[in-house]
């Protein structure tokens, strides 16, 4: 449920601010860092006791739980999987790198918010962590490291100093990163969904629906991306093969 809300908000954000992002990306980087600061304060100062309940559901939670940044990453990945000649892709391709950096910065807010708790748990009460939390923590390591590499190399100043082929190979790390992200999400969500659907569960129906919708929506979005990316890869391979088979133009003497 939260992911669907975040995806809608991310689409609206990109639609209304795409031109501003293209012209002044640094402003949005600063705003993303401000989000990190606010989430840290929200966590440490228990601001959920101050703000109305609806602000957590529709605003705070989408950043706190990493749903908004995940939605931005989905948009970034889909831009690369859809037809490059399409109207939407042509409009968004120039800001794809900026969106990726914004998503990475906002993800840091999620990392800080949860890292405060889990780092303390690992250091002081590791025996209280269940298998799901341990697996999630293990997956967090490659997710975080790869994300930092992708974020740093997405800055134009860094990209200009890199060999184009090396830069492209580094950016291909986004494919395994996206796959690990899906596994990470399923590790967190599927056990809760199965527990909620158990006949012995007394969980409220709204939470049961939330878990089922979350698993289904992530699976549909990530699965559709996989299909689109494989189709595009095959088309690109076929196009390259056809270009190699074209007869060379005759040389006029």
């Amino acid at each position: 449920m939260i992911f669907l809300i975040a995806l809608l908000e991310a689409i609206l954000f990109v639609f209304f601010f795409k031109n501003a992002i293209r012209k002044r990306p640094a402003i949005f980087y600063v705003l993303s860092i401000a989000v990190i600061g606010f989430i840290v304060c929200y966590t440490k100062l228990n601001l959920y006791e101050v703000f109305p309940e609806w602000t957590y559901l529709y605003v705070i939670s989408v950043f706190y739980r990493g749903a908004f940044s995940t939605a931005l990453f989905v948009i970034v990945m889909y831009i690369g999987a859809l037809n490059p000649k399409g109207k939407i892709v042509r409009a968004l391709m120039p800001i794809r790198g900026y969106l990726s950096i914004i998503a990475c910065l906002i993800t840091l807010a999620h990392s800080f918010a949860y890292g405060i708790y889990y780092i303390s748990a690992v250091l002081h009460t590791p025996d209280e962590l269940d298998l799901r939390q341990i697996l999630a923590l293990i997956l967090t390591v490659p997710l975080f490291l790869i994300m930092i590499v992708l974020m740093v190399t997405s800055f134009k100043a860094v990209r200009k100093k890199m060999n184009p082929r090396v830069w492209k190979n580094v950016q291909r790390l986004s494919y395994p990163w996206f796959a690990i992200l899906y596994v990470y999400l399923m590790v967190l969500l599927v056990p809760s969904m199965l527990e909620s659907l158990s006949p012995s569960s007394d969980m409220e129906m709204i939470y049961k629906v939330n878990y089922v919708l979350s698993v289904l929506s992530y699976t549909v979005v990530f699965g559709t991306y996989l299909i689109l990316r494989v189709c595009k890869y095959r088309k690109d391979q076929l196009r390259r093969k056809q270009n190699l088979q074209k007869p060379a133009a005759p040389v006029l003497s």
Side-chain angles (χ1 to χ4, degrees):
M1 185 76 75
I2 290 178
F3 173 66
L4 294 177
I5 294 172
L7 187 58
L8 175 61
E9 291 176 351
I11 291 172
L12 292 174
F13 168 74
V14 173
F15 177 78
F16 286 110
F17 293 101
K18 60 181 183 296
N19 292 329
I21 293 172
R22 180 173 56 83
K23 294 177 182 178
R24 296 287 187 273
I27 293 176
F28 291 89
Y29 300 160
V30 173
L31 290 175
S32 300
I33 295 172
V35 169
I36 298 174
F38 176 76
I39 293 299
V40 171
C41 291
Y42 183 89
T43 305
K44 298 293 289 184
L45 301 178
N46 297 325
L47 294 181
Y48 59 84
E49 298 176 354
V50 178
F51 289 91
E53 186 176 348
W54 66 267
T55 60
Y56 177 80
L57 177 61
Y58 297 107
V59 182
I60 305 299
S61 66
V62 298
F63 293 100
Y64 181 85
R65 300 179 66 175
F68 186 81
S69 54
T70 299
L72 282 182
F73 282 126
V74 165
I75 293 173
V76 169
M77 298 301 285
Y78 267 74
I79 292 172
L82 295 172
N83 185 352
K85 296 181 181 179
K87 184 178 179 181
I88 295 177
V89 174
R90 285 190 286 109
L92 298 182
M93 187 61 77
I95 66 169
R96 190 184 182 206
Y98 302 144
L99 291 176
S100 178
I101 294 171
I102 293 170
C104 289
L105 289 172
I106 295 176
T107 299
L108 292 178
H110 169 73
S111 300
F112 283 129
Y114 280 84
I116 292 172
Y117 167 77
Y118 282 108
I119 291 175
S120 176
V122 169
L123 294 176
H124 300 104
T125 56
D127 54 313
E128 293 183 5
L129 297 173
D130 58 27
L131 179 60
R132 176 178 60 174
Q133 292 172 320
I134 293 172
L135 290 175
L137 285 171
I138 292 172
L139 291 170
T140 297
V141 175
L143 280 174
F144 187 80
L145 294 177
I146 294 174
M147 186 194 74
I148 294 299
V149 171
L150 292 173
M151 180 180 70
V152 172
T153 54
S154 291
F155 284 98
K156 282 190 174 181
V158 176
R159 179 177 179 176
K160 289 179 180 179
K161 295 180 180 180
M162 295 180 65
N163 180 287
R165 181 172 294 181
V166 173
W167 181 86
K168 192 170 184 178
N169 288 334
V170 169
Q171 290 298 307
R172 283 176 178 155
L173 289 171
S174 61
Y175 302 134
W177 185 88
F178 210 49
I180 298 171
L181 177 60
Y182 176 75
V183 175
Y184 170 81
L185 292 167
M186 292 303 103
V187 165
L188 292 176
L189 292 171
V190 170
S192 297
M193 183 190 72
L194 295 177
E195 182 182 346
S196 70
L197 296 177
S198 171
S200 60
S201 174
D202 58 354
M203 187 179 294
E204 294 181 22
M205 182 57 67
I206 188 172
Y207 294 110
K208 293 182 179 181
V209 172
N210 177 59
Y211 282 123
V212 172
L213 279 179
S214 295
V215 171
L216 288 178
S217 57
Y218 279 122
T219 300
V220 169
V221 169
F222 279 69
T224 302
Y225 168 76
L226 176 62
I227 294 171
L228 290 172
R229 197 65 192 81
V230 170
C231 289
K232 185 178 181 182
Y233 174 78
R234 289 181 175 177
K235 287 180 181 179
D236 291 342
Q237 290 296 101
L238 180 60
R239 190 179 299 111
R240 291 191 187 97
K241 186 176 180 180
Q242 290 174 343
N243 290 337
L244 289 174
Q245 291 176 346
K246 285 182 180 181
V251 179
L252 300 176
S253 57

